[in-house]
Amino acid sequence: MPVRVEAPKAQQPTYPQLSNNLPASPVSKNPNNKINDDSVPKSFDRSDVKLGRLEKEVYEDKDFDGVRRMHKFTLYETATRFYIVGSDLLDSRFRILKIDRTADVGDLSITEDEVIYTREETTRLLATIEDGNRSTGGLKHRCPFWGLLGFVRFTGAYYMLLITKRSIVAMIGGHYVYQIDNTELVPLTAGARKPDRNSEEARFVNILGNLDLARSFYFSYSYDITRTLQHNIIRQREALSNGLTHPDNHDYNDMFAWNHYLLEPAKKHMKNTYDWCMPIVHGYVDQSAISVYGRIIYITVIARRSRYFAGARFLKRGANDLGYVANDVETEQIVSDMLTTSFHAPAKNLYSNPNYTSYVQHRGSIPLFWTQKNDAATPKPPVEMNLVDPFFSAAALHFDDLFQRYGAPCIVLNLVKSKERTPRESLLLKEFTQAINYLNQFLPTDKRIRYIAWDMSRASKSRDQDVIETLETIAEVVVNTTGFFHNGPSRDGAEASLQNGVCRTNCIDCLDRTNAAQFVIGKRALGHQLHALGVISGTSVEYDTDAVDLFTHMYHDHGDTIAVQYAGSHLVNTMETYRKINQWTSHSRDMLESFKRYYNNSFLDAQRQEAYNLFLGNYIFTQGQPMLWDLSTDYYLHHIDPRASRKRRSYIKWWTPKNLEKRVMPRATRPLDEFANKPYSYFDDYWLEYYRPKALSSFLKVFSYDINSTLRYIPIGQTSEGKYDLSPFKVRTNHGGSNHKKSKSKNNVINAETPENRLKKITALEGWPSSPQKQQQTLRQTSNPQFPGRDHNAVSGDMHSGLRSSSPVKQHFAVGRDLIPLEQRNMQQVVERSLNPSLSEKETEEYALYVSHPLNLPLVVTTELPPNTSRDFVNYVNSTSPEAVANLRATDNDIKSYEEFLEIPENPLSVDEADGGRGRYRAYQYWIMTGKLKQQRIGMVSVKT
């Protein structure tokens, strides 16, 4: 007799449990996910503690290089001078800056003391100053502050701008990045009074106050955030190869240093300007952590806004005659493995840590001469090409600048509309395409601008195109073409890789569509970066995973911040819109943001533009010239004087050959000669800045413990039995929108088209199609292989034909548009369903009874009316006649059930065999055995018991 062998049951895999406690959510503790650095513990005196020999050499060396870099400042004042006392990270070395308050109006007198003082020497010096000024009021402690932004002058004396509050937002290589939370404008005149409210000086001060420096302005004491990580590493390596401990000059990028105008007076009157002042960037900085089974990966997003041609949405469009475009933003994402903190590798290989990667993108307005009139009566004003530029000189200057900043090739992803009833964006598409074709004909073949024109707005509204799938395909091409920065050498001995080239993305405003496209490109780059760090085996990460959800939130906040800075409101269309997730719930939000954007553009942008022009130095007060508020236009503040003679560049050789050269990484990273035996702290004081030795601190105030992390997505209750996969790359949910997996045909056969073939179809790597019509056709053919060439009306017809079934039951239940899933309804169906809801007769009666029922009923029945009785209550009580009450009779079953309910057994919580026949116990037993609720079918209605 054959023996039947049962197949073993598949066991659920057991995942490692979460042994550590999750940190508290930053939302409940701090809504902005920031650490208020006002509460950072101050160093206490440890003069009696005996230091080791090495610590003594580091902390007491008079020539310690880090002492020139000050991190804390205190402002003192006398009747004639300001004294700024700066201290290092350890509060052990101090320097003093003196500012004369009696200088002539318009003059700035600053004395920089080169002597480095100890704490005791500084205390004695301040006491001497107080004794010498006792007759005039002595020495007063004005305020502590965290940095000096520079000096500014309007119509009279100078002011200095101080950072009085800050908060930590990121940590890169052991160096903190801070956000400005509050500033103070201090006049430098003796006995300064508040200017008359009607004076010109007071009006300039009020205009400057319209620029909120407490939002989205960032600085760092020891890391150059105006440059990319790739540039900073290359610069440090070049200095070491030349025998220098540090680069010999401060190479801050003026394009992103928004206080450049305020730093100019300091450069003229101070020898070591950047020891006291620091550049600030405007944009967005955020940092989060991915926990891969205890291995921490940091993701840092830094967006830098250009100060050139900066302004509000409708007031700054296109480009100026210097090639600078409006809303120019450089976005960098740094992915690093926090196995070690610093940029350095073991064995004294400085700035060679292979655990750091970086990828850079760019967005900016279309580099042509075009404007839109800001008219409150027209929400979408027409596009005006207000200047004829047959040789596209502005575009040539712009792309030459991109080559200089990022190298070649430059990929242009143009997302403007191609077909419109009233030509608006399509005018710019045609002109921009001609500009690219003109400029490309003179460039070397391998350095030509790669141009992709795709109507993303039309594709998102079409049912036969998958926007995310198409963007994923484009993103793979972009990342493979430009590469990304990976510091090295890596674990397998490979040299460092550099990013050569950049992807420039734009739509009409460089906001909604641009941010979605940049997110998908960044997501692709994130997969390559994680693969380079050895975190994942492949080069892609899936949607709806903890890691991608965290990354999505970062890019959503990034897009919101840029949109508020440029347009005055948050993003209108988010990634949920393009992924077709929760479209109905987000519809009201999108409408609200559109109204906010319209209101800000119409009524508030002019004030913001004046503040930009004043803070950036675009407008400088000159006696006899018009005031800022009297200018009818600021065109001449952002363009070169047409009467000024300047050398014209060649119309044919419009680029700089040096900018097209490939970037290479210097190989020498070890310190040479007399610096070979110096400790790490001699070259980089990251250890002092990050770990804060000799300072009392707590874990709750340490940035690394408060940073947002994928650990916050983990449900603790599901990890106790090991049934929850803690991997941040595990797909958690499956939305009804785009699935972004391999498409299958109706026969469940995976489409045989490979990604490489699709890449070639879209980009034609041998010669990218420059015609927008050809690219639109190619993208439509490859966007959704499951429905090639399927018409929108055909899909709609199929959907409705499925409802017109011959079955009488299906016809009965298809009254309704209710059977159409919410995400598949079009706007017309939603409006009809909202205005004409279908209710059954029974539902109508129940609703009428609900409306007629009084809201408040007394708990005790009495014949007396309660005080303040409403007429509705009296009518409701009198509506029941005594005859109707008299006819109410309880049946025998009702009495039996009531007596059974009142009967309390000796052990009320125990269940015996007699209870097993009851309906509720049978349903409970069925649920225990099967895990499902027992269902009883009554006619056509399914009822759960």
Side-chain angles (χ1 to χ4, degrees):
M1 183 174 182
V3 180
R4 182 179 178 183
V5 180
E6 295 183 356
K9 296 182 180 180
Q11 297 182 355
Q12 184 178 0
T14 302
Y15 300 104
Q17 300 183 17
L18 189 65
S19 58
N20 61 320
N21 296 326
L22 291 182
S25 174
V27 178
S28 59
K29 183 169 54 177
N30 193 338
N32 295 326
N33 194 19
K34 300 181 298 185
I35 299 177
N36 189 347
D37 206 47
D38 290 342
S39 59
V40 171
K42 303 296 187 297
S43 300
F44 57 88
D45 190 9
R46 290 191 178 184
S47 56
D48 295 334
V49 179
K50 295 183 180 180
L51 300 178
R53 181 180 59 83
L54 181 58
E55 289 179 323
K56 226 169 188 180
E57 292 178 358
V58 174
Y59 297 150
E60 298 185 359
D61 186 2
K62 285 284 187 181
D63 297 329
F64 176 49
D65 187 71
V67 77
R68 306 190 65 86
R69 186 177 296 150
M70 292 165 290
H71 292 248
K72 303 175 185 177
F73 304 87
T74 306
L75 179 63
Y76 298 90
E77 64 176 335
T78 64
T80 59
R81 282 186 177 180
F82 279 116
Y83 293 89
I84 298 178
V85 179
S87 61
D88 64 350
L89 282 166
L90 299 174
D91 277 339
S92 59
R93 305 298 185 200
F94 301 84
R95 296 177 61 196
I96 297 179
L97 187 71
K98 308 171 187 176
I99 304 175
D100 191 0
R101 303 179 65 185
T102 60
D104 295 336
V105 176
D107 291 340
L108 188 61
S109 178
I110 302 177
T111 304
E112 186 177 3
D113 195 342
E114 294 287 342
V115 179
I116 298 175
Y117 299 95
T118 62
R119 180 182 293 275
E120 293 76 13
E121 293 170 346
T122 304
T123 303
R124 290 196 298 266
L125 180 59
L126 293 177
T128 303
I129 296 174
E130 184 175 8
D131 292 337
N133 293 272
R134 194 173 298 276
S135 60
T136 57
L139 181 68
K140 298 179 181 179
H141 178 272
R142 178 68 179 265
C143 65
F145 63 98
W146 299 103
L148 179 62
L149 295 182
F151 304 89
V152 62
R153 175 176 175 265
F154 305 123
T155 63
Y158 273 94
Y159 299 82
M160 62 179 174
L161 195 58
L162 308 179
I163 303 173
T164 55
K165 287 185 179 180
R166 68 180 186 182
S167 57
I168 302 174
V169 292
M171 188 278 298
I172 306 174
H175 306 285
Y176 283 118
V177 178
Y178 300 89
Q179 175 175 305
I180 299 176
D181 291 333
N182 195 21
T183 59
E184 183 177 351
L185 193 66
V186 179
L188 298 185
T189 55
R193 298 179 180 177
K194 190 175 181 179
D196 184 13
R197 58 182 301 179
N198 296 323
S199 64
E200 297 171 348
E201 183 77 10
R203 191 160 183 178
F204 278 118
V205 173
N206 291 334
I207 290 176
L208 186 65
N210 291 331
L211 179 62
D212 189 3
L213 292 173
R215 294 181 61 183
S216 306
F217 283 89
Y218 307 90
F219 70 96
S220 177
Y221 297 103
S222 51
Y223 179 76
D224 184 6
I225 58 174
T226 65
R227 299 279 191 180
T228 63
L229 176 64
Q230 175 173 307
H231 180 276
N232 291 335
I233 295 296
I234 290 178
R235 188 163 171 264
Q236 294 287 353
R237 284 195 176 192
E238 289 177 346
L240 290 172
S241 62
N242 295 329
L244 302 175
T245 58
H246 297 89
D248 55 354
N249 62 336
H250 292 275
D251 187 30
Y252 294 119
N253 191 346
D254 288 340
M255 187 177 210
F256 302 116
W258 271 60
N259 59 334
H260 173 81
Y261 173 64
L262 278 68
L263 293 175
E264 288 301 316
K267 293 178 182 178
K268 295 179 181 178
H269 298 84
M270 298 171 62
K271 181 179 179 182
N272 303 301
T273 304
Y274 294 106
D275 292 347
W276 302 91
C277 305
M278 60 203 67
I280 60 174
V281 299
H282 185 36
Y284 173 81
V285 177
D286 190 22
Q287 190 172 64
S288 299
I290 300 177
S291 177
V292 188
Y293 298 108
R295 182 180 178 183
I296 304 301
I297 307 296
Y298 275 9
I299 301 179
T300 310
V301 177
I302 303 176
R304 308 174 180 92
R305 289 177 59 85
S306 171
R307 69 180 181 90
Y308 300 126
F309 206 51
R313 182 188 181 197
F314 284 125
L315 301 180
K316 289 292 167 284
R317 303 294 247 173
N320 64 1
D321 50 10
L322 294 177
Y324 298 117
V325 297
N327 200 24
D328 187 311
V329 183
E330 174 187 276
T331 301
E332 178 183 17
Q333 64 183 51
I334 301 173
V335 181
S336 55
D337 185 352
M338 296 312 297
L339 184 64
T340 56
T341 301
S342 70
F343 294 129
H344 315 302
K348 264 310 176 53
N349 290 313
L350 301 181
Y351 300 99
S352 301
N353 189 347
N355 295 331
Y356 280 87
T357 64
S358 170
Y359 186 75
V360 180
Q361 300 183 67
H362 177 270
R363 73 169 69 180
S365 187
I366 298 176
L368 302 172
F369 294 116
W370 62 281
T371 58
Q372 283 181 289
K373 291 184 178 180
N374 188 13
D375 187 3
T378 308
K380 292 184 177 181
V383 172
E384 297 181 4
M385 309 292 293
N386 53 0
L387 184 62
V388 178
D389 187 11
F391 301 104
F392 303 102
S393 58
L397 291 171
H398 174 69
F399 283 107
D400 190 31
D401 179 63
L402 291 182
F403 288 148
Q404 189 271 331
R405 288 156 60 184
Y406 309 111
C410 180
I411 303 173
V412 175
L413 178 57
N414 190 9
L415 304 176
V416 299
K417 298 178 181 178
S418 60
K419 293 182 180 180
E420 298 173 294
R421 293 182 179 179
T422 302
R424 185 168 153 264
E425 296 186 22
S426 56
L427 296 177
L428 295 174
L429 172 65
K430 180 180 178 181
E431 194 73 11
F432 195 23
T433 304
Q434 292 180 0
I436 298 296
N437 292 336
Y438 172 81
L439 298 177
N440 265 342
Q441 63 182 334
F442 305 115
L443 280 172
T445 304
D446 58 333
K447 306 297 183 182
R448 287 181 179 175
I449 302 171
R450 314 289 180 88
Y451 182 61
I452 304 175
W454 179 46
D455 191 343
M456 181 175 172
S457 178
R458 186 180 183 87
S460 65
K461 300 175 183 177
S462 175
R463 298 198 179 193
D464 61 344
Q465 293 194 60
D466 191 339
V467 173
I468 302 300
E469 186 70 24
T470 304
L471 287 177
E472 288 276 356
T473 306
I474 296 175
E476 186 67 22
V477 177
V478 168
V479 176
N480 288 332
T481 303
T482 62
F484 61 95
F485 170 69
H486 182 201
N487 201 10
S490 61
R491 296 179 180 86
D492 55 2
E495 291 296 327
S497 61
L498 299 182
Q499 179 178 344
N500 281 276
V502 72
C503 179
R504 184 197 190 278
T505 310
N506 72 269
C507 52
I508 187 70
D509 295 321
C510 302
L511 296 179
D512 302 350
R513 285 168 277 174
T514 298
N515 197 73
Q518 285 199 335
F519 161 76
V520 176
I521 296 174
K523 173 183 165 295
R524 277 286 177 174
L526 173 65
H528 285 268
Q529 290 173 284
L530 292 173
H531 174 74
L533 295 176
V535 179
I536 58 178
S537 58
T539 58
S540 64
V541 287
E542 296 292 335
Y543 287 90
D544 301 318
T545 59
D546 294 346
V548 175
D549 287 345
L550 187 72
F551 190 69
T552 304
H553 292 162
M554 296 179 69
Y555 259 85
H556 185 271
D557 293 342
H558 160 260
D560 276 344
T561 304
I562 299 302
V564 168
Q565 294 167 4
Y566 186 56
S569 69
H570 295 92
L571 292 173
V572 174
N573 298 312
T574 61
M575 280 303 300
E576 286 77 10
T577 304
Y578 294 110
R579 290 188 63 193
K580 300 181 180 180
I581 302 173
N582 298 331
Q583 294 186 80
W584 173 246
T585 57
S586 63
H587 184 66
S588 58
R589 174 199 170 276
D590 295 347
M591 293 180 60
L592 179 61
E593 294 301 333
S594 297
F595 289 139
K596 288 173 60 178
R597 184 172 296 184
Y598 167 72
Y599 175 80
N600 282 277
N601 297 157
S602 302
F603 304 105
L604 301 180
D605 281 356
Q607 299 179 6
R608 288 199 298 141
Q609 189 64 57
E610 287 183 347
Y612 283 140
N613 291 335
L614 190 62
F615 182 79
L616 296 174
N618 298 327
Y619 173 86
I620 301 175
F621 170 78
T622 305
Q623 195 68 34
Q625 296 295 325
M627 293 294 175
L628 176 60
W629 49 86
D630 293 331
L631 296 176
S632 59
T633 176
D634 65 347
Y635 178 86
Y636 297 102
L637 302 181
H638 296 268
H639 294 75
I640 295 178
D641 188 350
R643 296 169 295 182
S645 60
R646 56 172 178 157
K647 184 179 179 181
R648 293 185 178 274
R649 301 184 61 163
S650 172
Y651 296 132
I652 297 177
K653 193 174 182 180
W654 53 267
W655 73 93
T656 304
K658 183 180 179 182
N659 296 339
L660 299 181
E661 297 178 359
K662 187 176 181 180
R663 271 66 170 167
V664 293
M665 176 72 82
R667 298 179 62 88
T669 58
R670 291 175 177 268
L672 306 175
D673 302 331
E674 69 273 13
F675 304 119
N677 297 324
K678 294 288 186 180
Y680 280 103
S681 57
Y682 189 84
F683 306 93
D684 185 6
D685 57 356
Y686 76 93
W687 194 84
L688 300 178
E689 182 176 0
Y690 180 60
Y691 293 101
R692 299 183 184 275
K694 303 178 68 176
L696 183 63
S697 60
S698 64
F699 285 143
L700 295 179
K701 295 180 180 179
V702 175
F703 175 72
S704 301
Y705 285 83
D706 191 74
I707 189 173
N708 192 22
S709 171
T710 54
L711 292 176
R712 307 192 195 281
Y713 294 94
I714 297 176
I716 303 300
Q718 299 183 23
T719 63
S720 58
E721 300 178 359
K723 297 182 179 180
Y724 188 86
D725 190 351
L726 295 176
S727 171
F729 308 109
K730 172 72 174 179
V731 178
R732 306 295 183 191
T733 59
N734 186 16
H735 296 286
S738 302
N739 200 18
H740 316 303
K741 294 183 179 180
K742 293 182 179 180
S743 57
K744 296 185 179 181
S745 63
K746 294 183 179 180
N747 297 326
N748 294 328
V749 179
I750 298 178
N751 197 305
E753 186 179 28
T754 62
E756 290 76 8
N757 294 334
R758 298 191 63 209
L759 297 182
K760 291 182 179 180
K761 282 187 177 181
I762 289 183
T763 60
L765 294 179
E766 294 76 15
W768 289 27
S770 58
S771 171
Q773 291 77 12
K774 293 182 179 180
Q775 289 181 355
Q776 297 293 333
Q777 181 180 2
T778 304
L779 292 174
R780 280 196 295 269
Q781 292 174 354
T782 60
S783 60
N784 197 335
Q786 186 175 357
F787 303 107
R790 192 168 186 177
D791 185 70
H792 169 77
N793 296 328
V795 177
S796 178
D798 291 345
M799 181 182 66
H800 291 291
S801 64
L803 298 177
R804 296 192 296 268
S805 174
S806 59
S807 172
V809 177
K810 289 187 177 181
Q811 288 180 359
H812 174 73
F813 284 103
V815 172
R817 299 169 290 262
D818 298 343
L819 279 186
I820 305 175
L822 184 61
E823 62 272 10
Q824 295 182 6
R825 298 178 188 170
N826 56 32
M827 183 53 64
Q828 182 179 359
Q829 293 170 341
V830 171
V831 173
E832 290 179 359
R833 180 74 179 110
S834 301
L835 297 179
N836 302 310
S838 59
L839 295 176
S840 63
E841 185 176 351
K842 183 178 180 181
E843 290 174 339
T844 305
E845 293 176 357
E846 291 178 353
Y847 185 75
L849 180 63
Y850 170 77
V851 172
S852 63
H853 197 282
L855 298 180
N856 298 311
L857 294 177
L859 297 178
V860 180
V861 179
T862 178
T863 58
E864 298 180 359
L865 292 177
N868 301 326
T869 304
S870 65
R871 184 178 299 272
D872 295 336
F873 175 73
V874 176
N875 295 335
Y876 178 79
V877 173
N878 296 332
S879 63
T880 306
S881 63
E883 292 78 9
V885 175
N887 294 328
L888 293 177
R889 293 288 185 271
T891 63
D892 295 337
N893 292 333
D894 294 335
I895 297 175
K896 183 178 180 180
S897 299
Y898 185 71
E899 291 176 351
E900 183 183 1
F901 174 79
L902 294 178
E903 182 181 359
I904 302 177
E906 294 181 359
N907 298 320
L909 299 180
S910 62
V911 179
D912 54 14
E913 296 180 358
D915 295 326
R918 299 182 181 182
R920 60 177 180 271
Y921 291 105
R922 291 200 308 270
Y924 180 73
Q925 184 180 9
Y926 183 82
W927 179 77
I928 290 293
M929 297 176 61
T930 63
K932 300 179 181 179
L933 293 177
K934 188 176 181 181
Q935 296 183 352
Q936 297 177 355
R937 293 194 173 273
I938 305 175
M940 294 302 298
V941 183
S942 176
V943 180
K944 293 183 178 180
T945 60

